[in-house]
Amino acid sequence: MAIETTGAPAGAPAGAPAPQEKGKQQAKPAVANTPATTGGDAAGEQKLTPAQLKAKAKAEKAARRAKAKEVKEVPPAAAVADAKGGKSGKGGKQEGSQSAGSQQQGKSMPGRRPSVNGRRPSVAIIKEDPRSSIPECFSHVPMAKRIQTSQAHKDVHPAVLAVGQQMATFALKDSIARLEATLLAFKKVIESYETPKGNSLSRHFVPHVLNPQIEYLTECRPMSFSMGNAIRFLKSQVNKFDIDTPEDEAKESLLEFIDIFINERITLAEVVISKNAAELIDEDGVVLTYGRHRLVEKTILRAKANGKSFAVSVIDDPYDQGGKELAKTLQQAGIRVFYSPNLGGLRAHLERASNVLLGTEAIFANGSLHAPAGTADVAMAASAANVKVVALCETINFDRERVSVDSLTYNEIDPERCSAESFRLMFDNTHSKYIAGVITEFESGTDFAPAQAILTLLRKREDPTIA
């Protein structure tokens, strides 16, 4: 291995003294006939004192650190070019040092991939978590996410997997639509269930079969209030079975319970609510609504089928734009429609409105409405304009345990509108003082209960003898 001398000119004898730098005096004369150092060093290398050796090692260490820092800061392509250029014009010892440094640097950068077939190393693409940009004060607010079926629990039924994907992508958006799809998927889970030997359905089904389905659906999107209520009813029905109840009998009872539940709490409730609410629409009046809700749409169409003549003002959600589809449906039914694409036209439309019909996602125990974002603005503006506001809601969407006074405790973040600059909450909270009443499947005619009376309505349903 060839080693450069300490500055002796070409052709000079090995024992000749090395020329010193300008302005410096020679400290010691060069030692003639210096023996060859171990490892193949050439003769004539100047012997350094221990202090000089220590200083030299310190300088080399600092140089290596600076080089490693420089390589770390430049992009991968530039680092490769720099490494290639450094191979030429360097001695063997320096080249070996750079090679070792490059290997060490490669280990310290987990994002880099080794070169394959002469290609440039690339940086691994890391998918950014959409929740990483959400402020800490909103970290408790959940957000729907699509989970790969390969990552789901092994016990999740294929029917539940399909429902979860539809919820995560908002193909199933309405709370009642999600509830019905969930119950129908649970029917398939029950039909395919077989009790293991040594167990009973009443003890094994809920913790080992039903709970994994619920956990998967909750990971895809937070459960709606109606889903939570229905699941509690289903679990209580399972717990009623005796440990000796035959499996076929228990499964048949659960399937029948789900069918009755869907028929009474969803199908018939929808018919009764739309029938009663249609009677509130005045002849030649103007009904104002926000966005598109299933109960409001069926109410307006039923009033038209009853022969009433009236108009409808639709204030649309600028993000969802479901009101545009509602306006088209009502126009096809022969109803005169006034349409506003956002809340900017709310005040003008309220001037000719006779009443306001609003659909809700849920109602809390204190009477507050949990509804799509923008509902609270419509309710407050209508109340200030002395226009009656009536909410339509099934009792399965009532929450008898929780209360809410703001929109931050129970809400969801819109995954389609979540960025580093901003994000959107999907629901808002409307105080009960802005709501004249709530129509459920329990009222008859033009009667409606105040929003604060939901607990009384629930007790009345559980015990019909209550006056």
Side-chain angles (χ1 to χ4, degrees), residues 101-119:
S102 299
Q103 293 177 1
Q104 183 179 3
Q105 181 63 21
K107 292 180 181 180
S108 64
M109 297 180 64
R112 295 185 60 182
R113 301 174 181 171
S115 177
V116 180
N117 297 330
R119 293 179 297 178

Side-chain angles (χ1 to χ4, degrees), residues 141-419:
V141 184
M143 181 171 61
K145 61 179 179 180
R146 189 169 184 176
I147 300 176
Q148 299 295 332
T149 55
S150 59
Q151 299 177 356
H153 194 278
K154 61 181 180 64
D155 293 331
V156 178
H157 195 276
V160 178
L161 288 173
V163 173
Q165 296 298 312
Q166 292 175 338
M167 289 183 182
T169 57
F170 291 87
L172 290 173
K173 188 175 182 180
D174 181 73
S175 63
I176 295 298
R178 293 159 59 193
L179 167 62
E180 187 172 2
T182 300
L183 292 178
L184 293 177
F186 285 173
K187 285 187 63 177
K188 296 182 179 180
V189 174
I190 295 171
E191 291 172 351
S192 61
Y193 172 75
E194 294 182 359
T195 306
K197 293 182 179 180
N199 289 281
S200 63
L201 185 144
S202 60
R203 301 294 183 267
H204 180 269
F205 179 74
V206 170
H208 299 283
V209 179
L210 187 60
N211 285 346
Q213 323 298 324
I214 299 172
E215 291 173 0
Y216 170 75
L217 293 177
T218 306
E219 289 179 0
C220 293
R221 188 182 174 187
M223 284 196 304
S224 63
F225 292 83
S226 60
M227 291 173 60
N229 291 331
I231 289 173
R232 279 192 291 270
F233 288 138
L234 181 60
K235 287 184 175 181
S236 64
Q237 189 70 18
V238 174
N239 293 332
K240 291 179 182 178
F241 295 138
D242 190 74
I243 193 173
D244 298 325
T245 303
E247 178 184 316
D248 293 340
E249 180 181 342
K251 290 170 61 175
E252 187 66 26
S253 177
L254 288 178
L255 295 175
E256 183 181 0
F257 169 80
I258 293 177
D259 289 335
I260 295 175
F261 190 93
I262 293 176
N263 185 53
E264 292 184 354
R265 306 301 297 271
I266 297 178
T267 306
L268 292 181
E270 182 179 279
V271 173
V272 173
I273 291 174
S274 60
K275 178 183 176 181
N276 295 340
E279 299 183 13
L280 293 176
I281 298 178
D282 301 328
E283 185 72 24
D284 297 328
V286 178
V287 179
L288 186 142
T289 187
Y290 177 70
R292 185 182 190 181
H293 192 275
R294 173 182 43 84
L295 290 178
V296 175
E297 181 176 349
K298 291 185 177 296
T299 296
I300 295 174
L301 293 176
R302 176 176 285 272
K304 179 62 178 178
N306 293 341
K308 289 187 177 182
S309 177
F310 58 94
V312 178
S313 292
V314 179
I315 308 298
D316 205 356
D317 181 349
Y319 298 97
D320 184 50
Q321 295 186 343
K324 183 182 295 185
E325 299 300 323
L326 174 62
K328 293 179 180 179
T329 302
L330 299 182
Q331 282 184 334
Q332 293 174 358
I335 301 174
R336 187 183 181 188
V337 179
F338 304 98
Y339 176 78
S340 175
N342 50 52
L343 293 171
L346 177 59
R347 179 174 297 181
H349 286 276
L350 280 173
E351 292 178 355
R352 55 171 171 260
S354 53
N355 50 31
V356 176
L357 294 181
L358 297 176
T360 65
E361 187 81 4
I363 298 182
F364 291 98
N366 62 340
S368 297
L369 265 63
H370 183 72
T375 303
D377 299 288
V378 175
M380 289 187 289
S383 178
N386 295 322
V387 180
K388 181 172 60 178
V389 180
V390 179
L392 312 181
C393 186
E394 302 93 337
T395 54
I396 190 61
N397 283 319
F398 285 6
D399 192 323
R400 68 174 68 198
E401 298 177 356
R402 292 176 288 187
V403 298
S404 179
V405 295
D406 56 51
S407 301
L408 303 180
T409 306
Y410 307 103
N411 215 317
E412 293 182 48
I413 294 176
D414 189 348
E416 298 180 358
R417 296 171 181 86
C418 178
S419 63

Side-chain angles (χ1 to χ4, degrees), residues 76-127:
V80 174
D82 186 32
K84 289 182 178 180
K87 288 184 178 180
S88 59
K90 297 289 183 178
K93 184 179 290 186
Q94 294 178 353
E95 182 178 358
S97 176
Q98 286 186 351
S99 176
S102 299
Q103 293 177 1
Q104 183 179 3
Q105 181 63 21
K107 292 180 181 180
S108 64
M109 297 180 64
R112 295 185 60 182
R113 301 174 181 171
S115 177
V116 180
N117 297 330
R119 293 179 297 178
R120 293 182 178 180
S122 59
V123 178
I125 300 176
I126 302 175
K127 189 175 182 181

